[in-house]
Amino acid sequence: MRKRFKVLAIAAIFPLAGSAALATASQAGADPNSGTVLVTGKVADCDNGNSPVEVKVVAGQETRTDDSADVEDSSTYSVTFKKIDKGAGTKATATVTCEDDTYKKTFTIKRPPTVGSTTQKINLSPP
């Protein structure tokens, strides 16, 4: 009888643990009411063929710069903004700086419409 009780007790606990994990997972993610958005993507070489060394993005009153080794080595950038407007989002201008050249790209940073990812992928290349 004790073995049967243990099996029943364990069988009763597993569904509870599974539903708790699902409840936790559904609460994770971005809050559409938060202005925090991570902007990331690939960055192309400048027209002169040089690799980029810095990506600076200006959005509203915020300026974020990625001058990490990733920009030059793997042509990727990542910046986080904390004050992105609701609705239409915030207009942004990215300036990609190479050794002897620069280029700019304009885009809009938007909050997620529902709970989900806070990441917005924007690939930057010369116009």
Side-chain angles (χ1 to χ4, degrees):
M1 186 69 177
R2 275 190 178 166
K3 286 182 182 180
R4 186 182 228 178
F5 181 71
K6 279 185 184 178
V7 171
L8 291 174
I10 290 171
I13 290 171
F14 279 133
L16 293 175
S19 63
L22 288 175
T24 303
S26 67
Q27 293 172 358
D31 178 1
N33 294 318
S34 170
T36 300
V37 177
L38 171 69
V39 180
T40 185
K42 292 270 188 193
V43 64
D45 290 346
C46 288
D47 287 337
N48 64 9
N50 288 336
S51 295
V53 293
E54 177 184 272
V55 176
K56 179 170 74 172
V57 183
V58 178
Q61 302 294 337
E62 295 180 89
T63 301
R64 300 288 182 254
T65 302
D66 185 347
D67 56 1
S68 68
D70 290 341
V71 175
E72 188 170 4
D73 295 342
S74 62
S75 297
T76 60
Y77 76 99
S78 178
V79 291
T80 301
F81 289 90
K82 305 257 185 213
K83 300 175 185 172
I84 300 303
D85 293 334
K86 284 184 177 181
T90 301
K91 295 286 183 191
T93 301
T95 303
V96 178
T97 303
C98 298
E99 287 182 26
D100 300 327
D101 197 9
T102 63
Y103 65 88
K104 292 184 179 196
K105 182 170 183 175
T106 303
F107 57 94
T108 302
I109 302 173
K110 295 182 179 180
R111 288 188 194 182
T114 60
V115 173
S117 174
T118 58
T119 303
Q120 182 174 351
K121 292 192 180 275
I122 304 289
N123 291 328
L124 304 174
S125 58

